[in-house]
């Protein structure tokens, strides 16, 4: 405000000097009429005043922050607009109140994924409730963010994917063991690699020698104007390497596609967040193989073929897992 006031004052001073000069010249030149001199002085005053006033204000406007966001939704959309070709936003960005640690209760209500079907076969029935911790950090925290749980600048947040994955996996393993103790224990996570500067790749190594890499290939997200509702979608490519008989990695890798849909809603305060997650995993392809060798296995006469035709072997078989989530801030 002080700078604007000074600039306007200078404009007025320059304008007044121009008017005085024009008036003095008109008085000294007796060969010209008074009316013509007055008209000239008025035109000169207006032209010079306008020029003096416009130029400084134009320069001043260029110094104002062009990317200033007035609401949490605008801040998220501004960052998300810096898309990567073929991928979308660099990460999923959350409102600033997500920053911190959360006690997270997940209720896995239904699933036809092979993992949960195997558990069901040994007596572990759905729904399963799993309680773990989740963590979100400021999006600009950088690599050294381990001790960052505050958000003094009130900037959008990102998920600490390594922390969240490890906490949920460990809690799920303990819950499965509790529900059915004779079930073969899930291998523990030995190492996990992820960084917010490259949020699209998460690599895990397990105690039995197996490994997995989760790579996001495409994403999109949206946030409500008040910042209380958020939706995100991520397509992923998962490469899983099983352990060999010697207990080290060396099995034949499998590559499959996955998609995660998540919707978040703020509770009655910034300390409660509710969510719904649907996870789709590709579990091979559909199709009834023909017993006729002349058909080269392109289809058959089973239930799947009756729905999709003889060439049903190329249809992707997607399995879904639905989870309700409740996050409560840890003080």
């Amino acid at each position: 405000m002080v700078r604007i006031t000074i600039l306007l004052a200078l404009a007025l001073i320059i304008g007044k000097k121009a008017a005085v000069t024009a008036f003095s010249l008109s008085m000294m030149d007796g060969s010209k009429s008074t009316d013509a001199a007055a008209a000239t002085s008025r035109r000169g005053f207006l032209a010079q005043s306008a020029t003096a006033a416009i130029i400084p204000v134009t320069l001043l406007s260029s110094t104002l922050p062009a990317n200033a966001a007035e609401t949490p939704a605008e801040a998220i959309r501004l960052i998300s607009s810096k898309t990567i070709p073929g991928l979308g936003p660099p990460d999923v960005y959350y409102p600033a109140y997500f920053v911190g640690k959360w006690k997270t209760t997940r209720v896995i209500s239904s699933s036809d994924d092979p993992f949960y079907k195997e558990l069901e076969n040994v007596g572990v029935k759905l729904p399963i409730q799993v309680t773990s911790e989740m963590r979100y950090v400021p999006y600009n925290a950088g690599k050294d963010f381990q001790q960052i749980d505050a958000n003094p600048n009130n900037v959008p947040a990102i998920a600490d994917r390594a922390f969240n994955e490890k906490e949920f996996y460990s809690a799920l393993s303990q819950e499965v063991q509790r529900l059915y103790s004779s079930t073969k224990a899930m291998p523990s996570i030995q190492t996990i690699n992820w960084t917010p500067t490259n949020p699209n790749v998460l690599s895990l190594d397990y105690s039995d020698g197996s490994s997995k890499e989760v790579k996001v290939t495409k994403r999109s997200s949206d946030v409500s104007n008040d910042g209380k509702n958020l939706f995100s979608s991520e397509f992923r490519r998962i490469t899983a390497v099983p352990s060999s008989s010697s207990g080290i990695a060396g099995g034949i890798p499998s590559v499959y596609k996955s998609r995660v849909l998540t919707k978040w809603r703020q509770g009655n305060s910034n300390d409660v967040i509710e969510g719904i997650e649907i996870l789709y995993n590709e579990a091979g392809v559909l199709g009834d193989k023909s017993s006729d060798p002349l058909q080269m296995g392109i289809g058959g006469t089973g239930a799947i073929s009756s729905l999709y035709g003889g060439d049903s072997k190329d249809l992707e078989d997607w399995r879904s897992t639905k989870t309700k989530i409740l996050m409560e801030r840890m003080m």
Side-chain angles (χ1 to χ4, degrees):
M1 290 299 295
V2 173
R3 183 175 180 179
I4 293 174
T5 302
I6 294 173
L7 290 171
L8 291 177
L10 289 173
L12 292 175
I13 291 171
I14 294 172
K16 288 181 179 179
K17 287 184 177 180
V20 170
T21 302
F23 179 77
S24 300
L25 290 174
S26 66
M27 292 295 292
M28 293 174 63
D29 188 359
S31 63
K32 295 184 181 180
S33 67
T34 304
D35 293 340
T40 302
S41 66
R42 284 195 296 269
R43 286 194 297 269
F45 171 76
L46 292 174
Q48 295 188 42
S49 297
T51 303
I54 290 173
I55 292 176
V57 173
T58 303
L59 294 174
L60 177 63
S61 63
S62 65
T63 65
L64 296 176
N67 60 347
E70 296 182 359
T71 67
E74 290 177 356
I76 292 174
R77 288 168 183 155
L78 180 65
I79 302 173
S80 299
S81 66
K82 302 174 183 179
T83 59
I84 299 175
L87 172 66
D91 205 339
V92 176
Y93 299 103
Y94 302 84
Y97 60 81
F98 268 75
V99 171
K101 279 188 178 181
W102 301 81
K103 175 187 175 183
T104 305
T105 303
R106 293 174 174 264
V107 178
I108 305 167
S109 57
S110 64
S111 177
D112 56 1
D113 189 87
F115 173 80
Y116 291 103
K117 286 297 182 183
E118 290 179 9
L119 291 179
E120 185 177 349
N121 291 336
V122 296
V124 180
K125 305 290 184 181
L126 296 180
I128 297 177
Q129 179 173 305
V130 180
T131 302
S132 62
E133 293 182 9
M134 291 184 71
R135 187 173 182 226
Y136 294 80
V137 299
Y139 84 95
N140 56 357
K143 293 183 178 180
D144 302 324
F145 63 94
Q146 283 75 10
Q147 302 300 320
I148 297 179
D149 289 319
N151 192 6
N153 297 323
N154 207 39
V155 299
I158 59 172
D160 184 346
R161 297 179 185 239
F163 180 91
N164 297 345
E165 177 69 20
K166 187 173 184 179
E167 285 291 314
F168 171 69
Y169 183 87
S170 299
L172 176 62
S173 178
Q174 294 174 11
E175 184 64 15
V176 169
Q177 284 293 105
R178 186 187 71 82
L179 293 173
Y180 200 82
S181 57
S182 62
T183 301
K184 183 180 178 180
M186 296 166 57
S188 60
I189 296 176
Q190 293 290 93
T191 60
I192 184 167
N193 294 313
W194 176 84
T195 173
T197 57
N198 183 23
N200 300 313
V201 179
L202 175 70
S203 302
L204 305 102
D205 295 313
Y206 299 93
S207 59
D208 64 349
S210 61
S211 62
K212 182 171 70 174
E213 180 188 81
V214 181
K215 184 174 183 178
V216 178
T217 58
K218 189 177 182 180
R219 71 163 54 89
S220 62
S221 62
D222 193 19
V223 60
S224 62
N225 290 331
D226 59 6
K228 294 184 177 181
N229 295 274
L230 179 79
F231 170 80
S232 66
S233 170
E234 288 190 331
F235 287 88
R236 313 180 303 172
R237 185 186 69 212
I238 299 178
T239 303
V241 180
S243 61
S244 64
S245 57
S246 60
I248 59 175
I252 300 175
S254 61
V255 181
Y256 60 94
K257 291 178 285 186
S258 175
R259 186 185 184 188
V260 184
L261 299 173
T262 311
K263 185 175 182 179
W264 299 101
R265 180 181 66 184
Q266 187 181 30
N268 296 329
S269 69
N270 288 350
D271 299 327
V272 177
I273 300 174
E274 299 172 340
I276 298 176
E277 178 187 90
I278 303 178
L279 171 65
Y280 295 95
N281 281 332
E282 180 191 10
V285 293
L286 296 170
D288 302 310
K289 292 183 179 179
S290 171
S291 58
D292 185 352
L294 297 179
Q295 294 189 39
M296 302 297 290
I298 63 171
T301 58
I304 300 299
S305 293
S306 66
L307 292 173
Y308 298 103
D311 198 18
S312 59
K313 73 179 185 67
D314 291 328
L315 293 176
E316 298 172 350
D317 183 11
W318 291 90
R319 306 299 175 89
S320 63
T321 301
K322 298 179 181 179
T323 304
K324 293 182 179 180
I325 308 172
L326 174 65
M327 299 200 315
E328 301 169 284
R329 189 181 301 278
M330 300 175 64
M331 300 300 181

